[in-house]
């Protein structure tokens, strides 16, 4: 609404890497992560979010999602497990609860995947931070034609 209050030059010089054309996953990825790659890479490519520079970061996100899926399957319905405590003769003497180790794996994998894919703008909140300037040439031409246009 207020425009450029400080009247500083607007410089949005960003690198322009080549968009990824070959959607073959890296060979080092586990098979479960390659499945995630084949699900998500075409979507990211069509949204113009995946470049040649991004392959390693995107791969790590796919590995994290694969780990998350495996942990969800292993953890089952509950993140808490009951453990029966037995005496020397094998009789139950009590029970205790502990955190399922797969619940910890699930939590860590979730955080890793969200951190990576947040950088790619693949969450609703992350997309609000993406700014595209498709009319940049129009404004630059206006500024060159009329020096007073920088105040509007």
């Amino acid at each position: 609404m207020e425009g450029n209050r400080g009247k500083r030059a607007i410089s949005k010089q960003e690198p322009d890497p080549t968009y990824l054309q070959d959607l073959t996953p890296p060979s080092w990825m586990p098979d479960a992560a390659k499945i995630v790659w084949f699900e998500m890479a075409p979507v990211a490519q069509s949204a113009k979010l995946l470049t040649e520079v991004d392959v390693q970061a995107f791969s790590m996100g796919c590995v994290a999602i694969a780990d998350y899926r495996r942990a969800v399957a292993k953890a089952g319905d509950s993140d808490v497990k009951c453990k029966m405590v037995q005496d020397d003769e094998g009789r139950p003497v009590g029970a205790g609860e502990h955190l399922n180790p797969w619940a910890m794996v699930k939590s860590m994998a979730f955080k890793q995947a969200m951190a990576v894919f947040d950088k790619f703008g693949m969450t609703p909140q992350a997309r609000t931070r993406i700014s595209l300037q498709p009319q940049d040439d129009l404004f630059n031409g206006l500024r060159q034609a009329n020096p007073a246009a920088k105040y509007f």
Side-chain angles (χ1 to χ4, degrees), residues 8-84:
R8 291 180 214 95
I10 299 173
S11 174
K12 198 104 174 165
Q13 298 293 338
E14 295 180 11
D16 190 20
T18 306
Y19 290 114
L20 188 66
Q21 298 300 319
D22 180 16
L23 293 182
T24 305
S27 59
W28 60 265
M29 289 176 64
D31 290 339
K34 287 180 182 177
I35 291 170
V36 176
W37 173 280
F38 286 122
E39 291 172 9
M40 299 192 67
V43 175
Q45 181 189 39
S46 68
K48 299 198 181 298
L49 298 174
L50 192 56
T51 68
E52 292 177 357
V53 177
D54 304 324
V55 170
Q56 295 304 314
F58 194 81
S59 300
M60 289 185 274
C62 291
V63 170
I65 288 177
D67 290 345
Y68 178 79
R69 289 178 179 177
R70 182 168 186 235
V72 167
K74 292 284 189 178
D77 293 338
S78 176
D79 289 343
V80 177
K81 295 275 186 178
C82 288
K83 182 178 181 183
M84 294 300 292

Side-chain angles (χ1 to χ4, degrees), residues 1 6 22 34 37 95 100-101 104 134 140 144 152:
M1 293 292 268
D22 180 16
K34 287 180 182 177
W37 173 280
N100 185 339
M104 292 184 280
N140 285 336
Q144 292 171 357
F152 299 102

